[in-house]
Amino acid sequence: MKILYVTVGTSAINNPGIGKPPDGRDNTTLQGNMRLYREDKRKDFGRWGKLFDDLVKAHIKYWEMPEAYTVNPYNFLQSSAELTSTYCLFREISIDKLVLLPTETPDGRMASRVVRDVMKSAPYGTRVAIPSIIEEPIPDLEPDINKLDARLRAAIDQHSPSRHDERFVNVTGGFKGTSLMFGRLSKEMDFEVYYQHETSHAPIRMRDVWK
């Protein structure tokens, strides 16, 4: 089985261009609500259900655009780092299972739910069966970096217990400490790490950079 792990940050709920497509629409209201969510100390998901729905719809509008538009780095801030980089990666590798790895924080979970629902939508066109797109929140990453190694090992082993599985990790989004740790673990645990800069048209395989 080929399994792709995707580290998830908060660009899906923070990027300034979300809500622009198509035709450069006025996204002032949506961006204002996003700002109010960021300022909310409690971040109760039930209170922000409408914003969640609006964010999913806004991202889907982006993925309804022609592919020449959605894979152009100039437009990437109109969606999220996880969505754009994973879509570009799908053009290079085939995957049987996709595991989203957000941090166990209100912002992390909100962003991951948005990414998950967009990935399951028809316009995004994920090359993975919908039931095989899952979330695995990683607790205690930001307050306790010392547990990062163990948390990531557990997440990987839980979803790919067979030594015959092929493992890939997209570290474009997410907590940067996670990206560094995955780089350290990649040789030991035998998986490929990919990263896509926001100005690039395709992800790079980090093994080629580390040579």
Side-chain angles (χ1 to χ4, degrees):
M1 179 179 290
K2 295 182 178 181
I3 304 167
L4 174 64
Y5 298 87
V6 180
T7 57
V8 179
T10 58
S11 63
I13 61 174
N14 286 337
N15 273 355
I18 296 170
K20 282 290 187 182
D23 304 322
R25 292 182 303 166
D26 183 356
N27 65 347
T28 304
T29 299
L30 177 61
Q31 288 290 323
N33 289 334
M34 291 161 61
R35 184 183 67 255
L36 291 174
Y37 172 80
R38 290 194 295 271
E39 295 171 352
D40 184 359
K41 301 297 184 183
R42 297 178 59 190
K43 288 186 169 61
D44 177 65
F45 185 77
R47 179 184 176 189
W48 294 102
K50 184 179 185 304
L51 175 61
F52 171 81
D53 292 339
D54 290 344
L55 283 166
V56 172
K57 291 174 184 177
H59 281 283
I60 288 176
K61 284 290 185 183
Y62 178 86
W63 293 102
E64 289 174 344
M65 302 294 285
E67 186 175 61
Y69 186 95
T70 59
V71 299
N72 185 340
Y74 180 80
N75 302 315
F76 282 174
L77 290 181
Q78 297 173 15
S79 190
S80 82
E82 299 81 13
L83 290 167
T84 53
S85 61
T86 300
Y87 184 89
C88 291
L89 187 55
F90 277 141
R91 301 199 298 173
E92 300 184 13
I93 61 175
S94 61
I95 295 297
D96 301 305
K97 182 178 181 180
L98 190 153
V99 182
L100 298 172
L101 300 174
T103 54
E104 185 64 275
T105 63
D107 286 359
R109 293 306 306 275
M110 176 77 147
S112 183
R113 288 166 177 162
V114 171
V115 170
R116 176 200 62 197
D117 281 18
V118 176
M119 283 185 169
K120 291 182 177 182
S121 71
Y124 186 76
T126 302
R127 284 79 160 174
V128 179
I130 288 178
S132 296
I133 302 174
I134 59 178
E135 294 177 280
E136 182 62 41
I138 309 297
D140 299 326
L141 288 191
E142 294 179 358
D144 193 350
I145 191 68
N146 294 322
K147 296 181 180 179
L148 182 57
D149 181 295
R151 301 292 190 191
L152 296 182
R153 289 174 185 272
I156 292 175
D157 288 340
Q158 178 175 344
H159 295 284
S160 55
S162 172
R163 62 184 180 86
H164 300 294
D165 290 336
E166 292 185 60
R167 301 160 168 176
F168 306 87
V169 182
N170 176 7
V171 298
T172 303
F175 180 50
K176 295 312 174 188
T178 305
S179 304
L180 295 172
M181 185 61 72
F182 269 131
R184 189 177 75 80
L185 294 175
S186 61
K187 186 174 182 180
E188 175 189 340
M189 300 188 72
D190 191 26
F191 55 76
E192 295 285 1
V193 177
Y194 287 85
Y195 171 79
Q196 183 169 357
H197 189 267
E198 60 186 16
T199 62
S200 301
H201 287 83
I204 59 173
R205 188 174 68 166
M206 296 307 297
R207 185 190 300 264
D208 297 332
V209 177
W210 294 328
K211 286 181 180 179

